[in-house]
PDB file of all heavy atoms in Angstrom:
ATOM      1  N   ASN A   1     -10.593  36.053 -22.608  1.00 97.00           N
ATOM      2  CA  ASN A   1     -11.142  37.410 -22.540  1.00 97.00           C
ATOM      3  C   ASN A   1     -12.675  37.416 -22.600  1.00 97.00           C
ATOM      4  O   ASN A   1     -13.279  38.254 -23.278  1.00 97.00           O
ATOM      5  CB  ASN A   1     -10.576  38.298 -23.662  1.00 97.00           C
ATOM      6  CG  ASN A   1      -9.107  38.591 -23.462  1.00 97.00           C
ATOM      7  OD1 ASN A   1      -8.683  38.909 -22.352  1.00 97.00           O
ATOM      8  ND2 ASN A   1      -8.329  38.464 -24.517  1.00 97.00           N
ATOM      9  N   LEU A   2     -13.274  36.469 -21.899  1.00 97.00           N
ATOM     10  CA  LEU A   2     -14.728  36.395 -21.830  1.00 97.00           C
ATOM     11  C   LEU A   2     -15.188  37.113 -20.564  1.00 97.00           C
ATOM     12  O   LEU A   2     -14.806  36.741 -19.457  1.00 97.00           O
ATOM     13  CB  LEU A   2     -15.198  34.935 -21.803  1.00 97.00           C
ATOM     14  CG  LEU A   2     -14.787  34.054 -22.989  1.00 97.00           C
ATOM     15  CD1 LEU A   2     -15.302  32.628 -22.788  1.00 97.00           C
ATOM     16  CD2 LEU A   2     -15.295  34.625 -24.304  1.00 97.00           C
ATOM     17  N   ASN A   3     -15.998  38.135 -20.745  1.00 96.00           N
ATOM     18  CA  ASN A   3     -16.510  38.898 -19.602  1.00 96.00           C
ATOM     19  C   ASN A   3     -17.754  38.197 -19.060  1.00 96.00           C
ATOM     20  O   ASN A   3     -18.884  38.649 -19.242  1.00 96.00           O
ATOM     21  CB  ASN A   3     -16.828  40.326 -20.032  1.00 96.00           C
ATOM     22  CG  ASN A   3     -17.222  41.197 -18.847  1.00 96.00           C
ATOM     23  OD1 ASN A   3     -16.859  40.915 -17.705  1.00 96.00           O
ATOM     24  ND2 ASN A   3     -17.994  42.232 -19.114  1.00 96.00           N
ATOM     25  N   VAL A   4     -17.515  37.065 -18.403  1.00 98.00           N
ATOM     26  CA  VAL A   4     -18.602  36.198 -17.944  1.00 98.00           C
ATOM     27  C   VAL A   4     -18.404  35.899 -16.458  1.00 98.00           C
ATOM     28  O   VAL A   4     -17.328  35.451 -16.060  1.00 98.00           O
ATOM     29  CB  VAL A   4     -18.615  34.867 -18.741  1.00 98.00           C
ATOM     30  CG1 VAL A   4     -19.702  33.947 -18.226  1.00 98.00           C
ATOM     31  CG2 VAL A   4     -18.808  35.134 -20.227  1.00 98.00           C
ATOM     32  N   PRO A   5     -19.408  36.128 -15.631  1.00 98.00           N
ATOM     33  CA  PRO A   5     -19.265  35.813 -14.207  1.00 98.00           C
ATOM     34  C   PRO A   5     -19.218  34.302 -13.968  1.00 98.00           C
ATOM     35  O   PRO A   5     -19.916  33.533 -14.633  1.00 98.00           O
ATOM     36  CB  PRO A   5     -20.518  36.431 -13.574  1.00 98.00           C
ATOM     37  CG  PRO A   5     -21.526  36.470 -14.674  1.00 98.00           C
ATOM     38  CD  PRO A   5     -20.745  36.694 -15.941  1.00 98.00           C
ATOM     39  N   VAL A   6     -18.386  33.911 -13.015  1.00 98.00           N
ATOM     40  CA  VAL A   6     -18.241  32.500 -12.634  1.00 98.00           C
ATOM     41  C   VAL A   6     -18.713  32.341 -11.191  1.00 98.00           C
ATOM     42  O   VAL A   6     -18.270  33.079 -10.304  1.00 98.00           O
ATOM     43  CB  VAL A   6     -16.781  32.024 -12.785  1.00 98.00           C
ATOM     44  CG1 VAL A   6     -16.618  30.596 -12.254  1.00 98.00           C
ATOM     45  CG2 VAL A   6     -16.329  32.108 -14.241  1.00 98.00           C
ATOM     46  N   PHE A   7     -19.611  31.385 -10.969  1.00 98.00           N
ATOM     47  CA  PHE A   7     -20.180  31.155  -9.644  1.00 98.00           C
ATOM     48  C   PHE A   7     -19.759  29.799  -9.102  1.00 98.00           C
ATOM     49  O   PHE A   7     -19.622  28.836  -9.856  1.00 98.00           O
ATOM     50  CB  PHE A   7     -21.712  31.201  -9.717  1.00 98.00           C
ATOM     51  CG  PHE A   7     -22.262  32.533 -10.123  1.00 98.00           C
ATOM     52  CD1 PHE A   7     -22.340  32.881 -11.468  1.00 98.00           C
ATOM     53  CD2 PHE A   7     -22.685  33.436  -9.170  1.00 98.00           C
ATOM     54  CE1 PHE A   7     -22.844  34.118 -11.851  1.00 98.00           C
ATOM     55  CE2 PHE A   7     -23.199  34.676  -9.543  1.00 98.00           C
ATOM     56  CZ  PHE A   7     -23.274  35.018 -10.886  1.00 98.00           C
ATOM     57  N   LYS A   8     -19.598  29.739  -7.796  1.00 98.00           N
ATOM     58  CA  LYS A   8     -19.345  28.458  -7.115  1.00 98.00           C
ATOM     59  C   LYS A   8     -20.667  27.738  -6.928  1.00 98.00           C
ATOM     60  O   LYS A   8     -21.598  28.283  -6.327  1.00 98.00           O
ATOM     61  CB  LYS A   8     -18.731  28.701  -5.728  1.00 98.00           C
ATOM     62  CG  LYS A   8     -17.261  28.971  -5.703  1.00 98.00           C
ATOM     63  CD  LYS A   8     -16.820  29.050  -4.236  1.00 98.00           C
ATOM     64  CE  LYS A   8     -15.332  29.299  -4.126  1.00 98.00           C
ATOM     65  NZ  LYS A   8     -14.933  29.385  -2.703  1.00 98.00           N
ATOM     66  N   GLY A   9     -20.729  26.490  -7.410  1.00 98.00           N
ATOM     67  CA  GLY A   9     -21.904  25.675  -7.201  1.00 98.00           C
ATOM     68  C   GLY A   9     -21.679  24.661  -6.095  1.00 98.00           C
ATOM     69  O   GLY A   9     -20.958  24.922  -5.119  1.00 98.00           O
ATOM     70  N   SER A  10     -22.248  23.494  -6.262  1.00 98.00           N
ATOM     71  CA  SER A  10     -22.207  22.452  -5.225  1.00 98.00           C
ATOM     72  C   SER A  10     -20.851  21.778  -5.167  1.00 98.00           C
ATOM     73  O   SER A  10     -20.255  21.475  -6.197  1.00 98.00           O
ATOM     74  CB  SER A  10     -23.287  21.404  -5.509  1.00 98.00           C
ATOM     75  OG  SER A  10     -24.550  22.007  -5.596  1.00 98.00           O
ATOM     76  N   ASP A  11     -20.401  21.503  -3.942  1.00 98.00           N
ATOM     77  CA  ASP A  11     -19.078  20.890  -3.770  1.00 98.00           C
ATOM     78  C   ASP A  11     -19.141  19.382  -3.552  1.00 98.00           C
ATOM     79  O   ASP A  11     -18.110  18.732  -3.437  1.00 98.00           O
ATOM     80  CB  ASP A  11     -18.312  21.550  -2.623  1.00 98.00           C
ATOM     81  CG  ASP A  11     -18.972  21.342  -1.265  1.00 98.00           C
ATOM     82  OD1 ASP A  11     -20.122  20.833  -1.222  1.00 98.00           O
ATOM     83  OD2 ASP A  11     -18.341  21.684  -0.244  1.00 98.00           O
ATOM     84  N   LYS A  12     -20.354  18.826  -3.519  1.00 98.00           N
ATOM     85  CA  LYS A  12     -20.488  17.376  -3.343  1.00 98.00           C
ATOM     86  C   LYS A  12     -21.870  16.945  -3.825  1.00 98.00           C
ATOM     87  O   LYS A  12     -22.789  17.774  -3.923  1.00 98.00           O
ATOM     88  CB  LYS A  12     -20.273  16.978  -1.879  1.00 98.00           C
ATOM     89  CG  LYS A  12     -21.247  17.600  -0.908  1.00 98.00           C
ATOM     90  CD  LYS A  12     -20.898  17.230   0.532  1.00 98.00           C
ATOM     91  CE  LYS A  12     -21.865  17.904   1.505  1.00 98.00           C
ATOM     92  NZ  LYS A  12     -21.538  17.596   2.899  1.00 98.00           N
ATOM     93  N   PRO A  13     -22.053  15.660  -4.097  1.00 98.00           N
ATOM     94  CA  PRO A  13     -23.364  15.162  -4.528  1.00 98.00           C
ATOM     95  C   PRO A  13     -24.411  15.294  -3.426  1.00 98.00           C
ATOM     96  O   PRO A  13     -24.086  15.514  -2.260  1.00 98.00           O
ATOM     97  CB  PRO A  13     -23.095  13.687  -4.856  1.00 98.00           C
ATOM     98  CG  PRO A  13     -21.616  13.538  -4.914  1.00 98.00           C
ATOM     99  CD  PRO A  13     -21.033  14.603  -4.061  1.00 98.00           C
ATOM    100  N   LEU A  14     -25.678  15.125  -3.799  1.00 98.00           N
ATOM    101  CA  LEU A  14     -26.761  15.223  -2.821  1.00 98.00           C
ATOM    102  C   LEU A  14     -26.637  14.172  -1.730  1.00 98.00           C
ATOM    103  O   LEU A  14     -26.764  14.475  -0.542  1.00 98.00           O
ATOM    104  CB  LEU A  14     -28.125  15.065  -3.511  1.00 98.00           C
ATOM    105  CG  LEU A  14     -28.556  16.149  -4.495  1.00 98.00           C
ATOM    106  CD1 LEU A  14     -29.955  15.843  -5.023  1.00 98.00           C
ATOM    107  CD2 LEU A  14     -28.511  17.539  -3.872  1.00 98.00           C
ATOM    108  N   LEU A  15     -26.404  12.911  -2.132  1.00 97.00           N
ATOM    109  CA  LEU A  15     -26.400  11.805  -1.166  1.00 97.00           C
ATOM    110  C   LEU A  15     -25.183  10.899  -1.276  1.00 97.00           C
ATOM    111  O   LEU A  15     -24.643  10.479  -0.260  1.00 97.00           O
ATOM    112  CB  LEU A  15     -27.674  10.946  -1.343  1.00 97.00           C
ATOM    113  CG  LEU A  15     -29.018  11.612  -1.058  1.00 97.00           C
ATOM    114  CD1 LEU A  15     -30.158  10.656  -1.389  1.00 97.00           C
ATOM    115  CD2 LEU A  15     -29.108  12.053   0.401  1.00 97.00           C
ATOM    116  N   ARG A  16     -24.780  10.574  -2.470  1.00 97.00           N
ATOM    117  CA  ARG A  16     -23.766   9.534  -2.644  1.00 97.00           C
ATOM    118  C   ARG A  16     -22.369  10.034  -2.281  1.00 97.00           C
ATOM    119  O   ARG A  16     -22.119  11.246  -2.196  1.00 97.00           O
ATOM    120  CB  ARG A  16     -23.778   8.998  -4.074  1.00 97.00           C
ATOM    121  CG  ARG A  16     -23.279   9.978  -5.145  1.00 97.00           C
ATOM    122  CD  ARG A  16     -22.644   9.231  -6.319  1.00 97.00           C
ATOM    123  NE  ARG A  16     -21.497   8.487  -5.863  1.00 97.00           N
ATOM    124  CZ  ARG A  16     -21.028   7.379  -6.439  1.00 97.00           C
ATOM    125  NH1 ARG A  16     -21.607   6.904  -7.520  1.00 97.00           N
ATOM    126  NH2 ARG A  16     -19.973   6.763  -5.959  1.00 97.00           N
ATOM    127  N   LYS A  17     -21.452   9.101  -2.093  1.00 97.00           N
ATOM    128  CA  LYS A  17     -20.057   9.429  -1.855  1.00 97.00           C
ATOM    129  C   LYS A  17     -19.473  10.054  -3.121  1.00 97.00           C
ATOM    130  O   LYS A  17     -19.725   9.598  -4.234  1.00 97.00           O
ATOM    131  CB  LYS A  17     -19.282   8.153  -1.485  1.00 97.00           C
ATOM    132  CG  LYS A  17     -17.831   8.397  -1.120  1.00 97.00           C
ATOM    133  CD  LYS A  17     -17.145   7.079  -0.760  1.00 97.00           C
ATOM    134  CE  LYS A  17     -15.667   7.319  -0.448  1.00 97.00           C
ATOM    135  NZ  LYS A  17     -14.957   6.045  -0.167  1.00 97.00           N
ATOM    136  N   GLN A  18     -18.670  11.091  -2.942  1.00 97.00           N
ATOM    137  CA  GLN A  18     -18.138  11.827  -4.096  1.00 97.00           C
ATOM    138  C   GLN A  18     -17.152  10.993  -4.905  1.00 97.00           C
ATOM    139  O   GLN A  18     -16.340  10.255  -4.352  1.00 97.00           O
ATOM    140  CB  GLN A  18     -17.444  13.100  -3.613  1.00 97.00           C
ATOM    141  CG  GLN A  18     -16.994  14.021  -4.737  1.00 97.00           C
ATOM    142  CD  GLN A  18     -16.569  15.376  -4.214  1.00 97.00           C
ATOM    143  OE1 GLN A  18     -16.134  15.511  -3.078  1.00 97.00           O
ATOM    144  NE2 GLN A  18     -16.698  16.403  -5.045  1.00 97.00           N
ATOM    145  N   ILE A  19     -17.254  11.117  -6.238  1.00 97.00           N
ATOM    146  CA  ILE A  19     -16.253  10.545  -7.122  1.00 97.00           C
ATOM    147  C   ILE A  19     -15.763  11.652  -8.054  1.00 97.00           C
ATOM    148  O   ILE A  19     -16.475  12.614  -8.342  1.00 97.00           O
ATOM    149  CB  ILE A  19     -16.795   9.365  -7.968  1.00 97.00           C
ATOM    150  CG1 ILE A  19     -17.962   9.823  -8.872  1.00 97.00           C
ATOM    151  CG2 ILE A  19     -17.207   8.201  -7.088  1.00 97.00           C
ATOM    152  CD1 ILE A  19     -18.302   8.845  -9.986  1.00 97.00           C
ATOM    153  N   VAL A  20     -14.500  11.535  -8.502  1.00 97.00           N
ATOM    154  CA  VAL A  20     -13.929  12.443  -9.500  1.00 97.00           C
ATOM    155  C   VAL A  20     -13.246  11.589 -10.567  1.00 97.00           C
ATOM    156  O   VAL A  20     -13.260  10.359 -10.485  1.00 97.00           O
ATOM    157  CB  VAL A  20     -12.946  13.448  -8.852  1.00 97.00           C
ATOM    158  CG1 VAL A  20     -13.688  14.440  -7.971  1.00 97.00           C
ATOM    159  CG2 VAL A  20     -11.864  12.735  -8.045  1.00 97.00           C
ATOM    160  N   ALA A  21     -12.644  12.235 -11.568  1.00 94.00           N
ATOM    161  CA  ALA A  21     -12.119  11.486 -12.721  1.00 94.00           C
ATOM    162  C   ALA A  21     -10.674  11.861 -13.060  1.00 94.00           C
ATOM    163  O   ALA A  21     -10.381  12.335 -14.166  1.00 94.00           O
ATOM    164  CB  ALA A  21     -13.022  11.713 -13.926  1.00 94.00           C
ATOM    165  N   PRO A  22      -9.730  11.649 -12.130  1.00 92.00           N
ATOM    166  CA  PRO A  22      -8.334  12.002 -12.422  1.00 92.00           C
ATOM    167  C   PRO A  22      -7.704  11.144 -13.514  1.00 92.00           C
ATOM    168  O   PRO A  22      -6.733  11.572 -14.151  1.00 92.00           O
ATOM    169  CB  PRO A  22      -7.632  11.783 -11.073  1.00 92.00           C
ATOM    170  CG  PRO A  22      -8.481  10.784 -10.351  1.00 92.00           C
ATOM    171  CD  PRO A  22      -9.886  11.091 -10.777  1.00 92.00           C
ATOM    172  N   ASP A  23      -8.248   9.936 -13.741  1.00 90.00           N
ATOM    173  CA  ASP A  23      -7.675   9.070 -14.782  1.00 90.00           C
ATOM    174  C   ASP A  23      -7.904   9.633 -16.175  1.00 90.00           C
ATOM    175  O   ASP A  23      -7.154   9.334 -17.109  1.00 90.00           O
ATOM    176  CB  ASP A  23      -8.265   7.655 -14.687  1.00 90.00           C
ATOM    177  CG  ASP A  23      -9.782   7.620 -14.721  1.00 90.00           C
ATOM    178  OD1 ASP A  23     -10.410   8.639 -14.355  1.00 90.00           O
ATOM    179  OD2 ASP A  23     -10.337   6.582 -15.104  1.00 90.00           O
ATOM    180  N   ILE A  24      -8.921  10.480 -16.326  1.00 92.00           N
ATOM    181  CA  ILE A  24      -9.229  11.094 -17.625  1.00 92.00           C
ATOM    182  C   ILE A  24      -8.750  12.540 -17.684  1.00 92.00           C
ATOM    183  O   ILE A  24      -8.169  12.971 -18.681  1.00 92.00           O
ATOM    184  CB  ILE A  24     -10.749  11.037 -17.902  1.00 92.00           C
ATOM    185  CG1 ILE A  24     -11.236   9.584 -17.982  1.00 92.00           C
ATOM    186  CG2 ILE A  24     -11.100  11.797 -19.177  1.00 92.00           C
ATOM    187  CD1 ILE A  24     -10.681   8.797 -19.160  1.00 92.00           C
ATOM    188  N   HIS A  25      -8.976  13.300 -16.616  1.00 93.00           N
ATOM    189  CA  HIS A  25      -8.719  14.748 -16.656  1.00 93.00           C
ATOM    190  C   HIS A  25      -7.513  15.191 -15.830  1.00 93.00           C
ATOM    191  O   HIS A  25      -7.214  16.392 -15.798  1.00 93.00           O
ATOM    192  CB  HIS A  25      -9.958  15.513 -16.184  1.00 93.00           C
ATOM    193  CG  HIS A  25     -11.147  15.311 -17.068  1.00 93.00           C
ATOM    194  ND1 HIS A  25     -11.320  15.991 -18.257  1.00 93.00           N
ATOM    195  CD2 HIS A  25     -12.221  14.488 -16.959  1.00 93.00           C
ATOM    196  CE1 HIS A  25     -12.445  15.610 -18.828  1.00 93.00           C
ATOM    197  NE2 HIS A  25     -13.017  14.692 -18.063  1.00 93.00           N
ATOM    198  N   GLY A  26      -6.814  14.246 -15.176  1.00 89.00           N
ATOM    199  CA  GLY A  26      -5.686  14.609 -14.339  1.00 89.00           C
ATOM    200  C   GLY A  26      -6.128  15.131 -12.986  1.00 89.00           C
ATOM    201  O   GLY A  26      -7.320  15.353 -12.730  1.00 89.00           O
ATOM    202  N   GLU A  27      -5.165  15.354 -12.104  1.00 90.00           N
ATOM    203  CA  GLU A  27      -5.465  15.738 -10.718  1.00 90.00           C
ATOM    204  C   GLU A  27      -6.143  17.097 -10.622  1.00 90.00           C
ATOM    205  O   GLU A  27      -6.993  17.314  -9.762  1.00 90.00           O
ATOM    206  CB  GLU A  27      -4.181  15.742  -9.873  1.00 90.00           C
ATOM    207  CG  GLU A  27      -3.594  14.359  -9.629  1.00 90.00           C
ATOM    208  CD  GLU A  27      -4.541  13.425  -8.872  1.00 90.00           C
ATOM    209  OE1 GLU A  27      -5.287  13.927  -7.995  1.00 90.00           O
ATOM    210  OE2 GLU A  27      -4.548  12.214  -9.152  1.00 90.00           O
ATOM    211  N   SER A  28      -5.796  18.027 -11.500  1.00 92.00           N
ATOM    212  CA  SER A  28      -6.372  19.372 -11.434  1.00 92.00           C
ATOM    213  C   SER A  28      -7.691  19.473 -12.179  1.00 92.00           C
ATOM    214  O   SER A  28      -8.383  20.483 -12.092  1.00 92.00           O
ATOM    215  CB  SER A  28      -5.391  20.393 -12.029  1.00 92.00           C
ATOM    216  OG  SER A  28      -5.330  20.243 -13.441  1.00 92.00           O
ATOM    217  N   GLY A  29      -8.032  18.430 -12.945  1.00 92.00           N
ATOM    218  CA  GLY A  29      -9.206  18.484 -13.797  1.00 92.00           C
ATOM    219  C   GLY A  29      -8.926  19.043 -15.172  1.00 92.00           C
ATOM    220  O   GLY A  29      -9.749  18.942 -16.075  1.00 92.00           O
ATOM    221  N   LEU A  30      -7.736  19.636 -15.339  1.00 95.00           N
ATOM    222  CA  LEU A  30      -7.389  20.251 -16.624  1.00 95.00           C
ATOM    223  C   LEU A  30      -5.876  20.143 -16.840  1.00 95.00           C
ATOM    224  O   LEU A  30      -5.182  21.134 -17.026  1.00 95.00           O
ATOM    225  CB  LEU A  30      -7.842  21.716 -16.646  1.00 95.00           C
ATOM    226  CG  LEU A  30      -8.165  22.353 -17.996  1.00 95.00           C
ATOM    227  CD1 LEU A  30      -9.150  21.529 -18.813  1.00 95.00           C
ATOM    228  CD2 LEU A  30      -8.705  23.761 -17.798  1.00 95.00           C
ATOM    229  N   GLU A  31      -5.392  18.896 -16.811  1.00 92.00           N
ATOM    230  CA  GLU A  31      -3.951  18.655 -16.961  1.00 92.00           C
ATOM    231  C   GLU A  31      -3.559  18.614 -18.437  1.00 92.00           C
ATOM    232  O   GLU A  31      -4.389  18.383 -19.314  1.00 92.00           O
ATOM    233  CB  GLU A  31      -3.578  17.315 -16.314  1.00 92.00           C
ATOM    234  CG  GLU A  31      -3.793  17.243 -14.816  1.00 92.00           C
ATOM    235  CD  GLU A  31      -2.792  18.044 -14.012  1.00 92.00           C
ATOM    236  OE1 GLU A  31      -1.763  18.471 -14.575  1.00 92.00           O
ATOM    237  OE2 GLU A  31      -3.047  18.252 -12.812  1.00 92.00           O
ATOM    238  N   GLY A  32      -2.262  18.830 -18.672  1.00 92.00           N
ATOM    239  CA  GLY A  32      -1.734  18.670 -20.024  1.00 92.00           C
ATOM    240  C   GLY A  32      -1.051  19.902 -20.568  1.00 92.00           C
ATOM    241  O   GLY A  32      -0.276  19.826 -21.521  1.00 92.00           O
ATOM    242  N   ALA A  33      -1.337  21.074 -19.989  1.00 89.00           N
ATOM    243  CA  ALA A  33      -0.721  22.320 -20.452  1.00 89.00           C
ATOM    244  C   ALA A  33      -0.446  23.202 -19.244  1.00 89.00           C
ATOM    245  O   ALA A  33      -1.134  23.112 -18.222  1.00 89.00           O
ATOM    246  CB  ALA A  33      -1.628  23.043 -21.438  1.00 89.00           C
ATOM    247  N   ASN A  34       0.572  24.045 -19.344  1.00 89.00           N
ATOM    248  CA  ASN A  34       0.858  25.006 -18.286  1.00 89.00           C
ATOM    249  C   ASN A  34      -0.109  26.175 -18.399  1.00 89.00           C
ATOM    250  O   ASN A  34      -0.073  26.934 -19.368  1.00 89.00           O
ATOM    251  CB  ASN A  34       2.304  25.513 -18.402  1.00 89.00           C
ATOM    252  CG  ASN A  34       3.303  24.429 -18.060  1.00 89.00           C
ATOM    253  OD1 ASN A  34       3.081  23.642 -17.141  1.00 89.00           O
ATOM    254  ND2 ASN A  34       4.406  24.372 -18.788  1.00 89.00           N
TER     255      ASN A  34
END
């Protein structure tokens, strides 16, 4: 219930090939609860 606007930022790094961290955070980035 936080009345806070959420903005879309950058979808990829400036130059390097993109990496993500599914081994730590799961495929959705927020795994572990429904």
